[in-house]
C-alpha cells in the first residue's frame, strides 16, 4: 500500500459545479499517481504507476 500522507490532491479545472461529484488526483508522489472520490476523501484511493497514468491521460487528450 502506498503512503499517501504527503499527497497534494486536486480536482480538474473542468470539474465544474456538479455538487462535488468528481475525482481528485495526486501526482506529486514519487513514481505513482493516486486517484480518489472527492465525496469520500478519507476513503480508498487507487494508485497507478506514473508512466501508466501519463499514457492514460495522453490517450484521453487525443
Amino acid at each position: 500500500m502506498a503512503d499517501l500522507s504527503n499527497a497534494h490532491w486536486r480536482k480538474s479545472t473542468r470539474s465544474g459545479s456538479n455538487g462535488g461529484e468528481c475525482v481528485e488526483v495526486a501526482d506529486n508522489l514519487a513514481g505513482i499517481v493516486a486517484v480518489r472520490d472527492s465525496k469520500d476523501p478519507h476513503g480508498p484511493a487507487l494508485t497507478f504507476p506514473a508512466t501508466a497514468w501519463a499514457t492514460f491521460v495522453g490517450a484521453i487528450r487525443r
Side-chain angles (χ1 to χ4, degrees), residues 2-62:
D3 177 15
L4 303 179
S5 60
N6 292 322
H8 295 278
W9 297 98
R10 63 179 176 81
K11 292 181 188 177
S12 169
T13 56
R14 297 179 185 251
S15 291
S17 58
N18 61 359
E21 297 179 7
C22 51
V23 297
E24 294 177 315
V25 176
D27 57 4
N28 67 303
L29 305 165
I32 65 167
V33 174
V35 180
R36 71 180 181 186
D37 183 345
S38 65
K39 296 182 306 301
D40 189 11
H42 300 292
L46 299 172
T47 57
F48 302 92
T51 54
W53 184 258
T55 300
F56 171 71
V57 171
I60 290 172
R61 287 183 177 155
R62 285 191 295 278

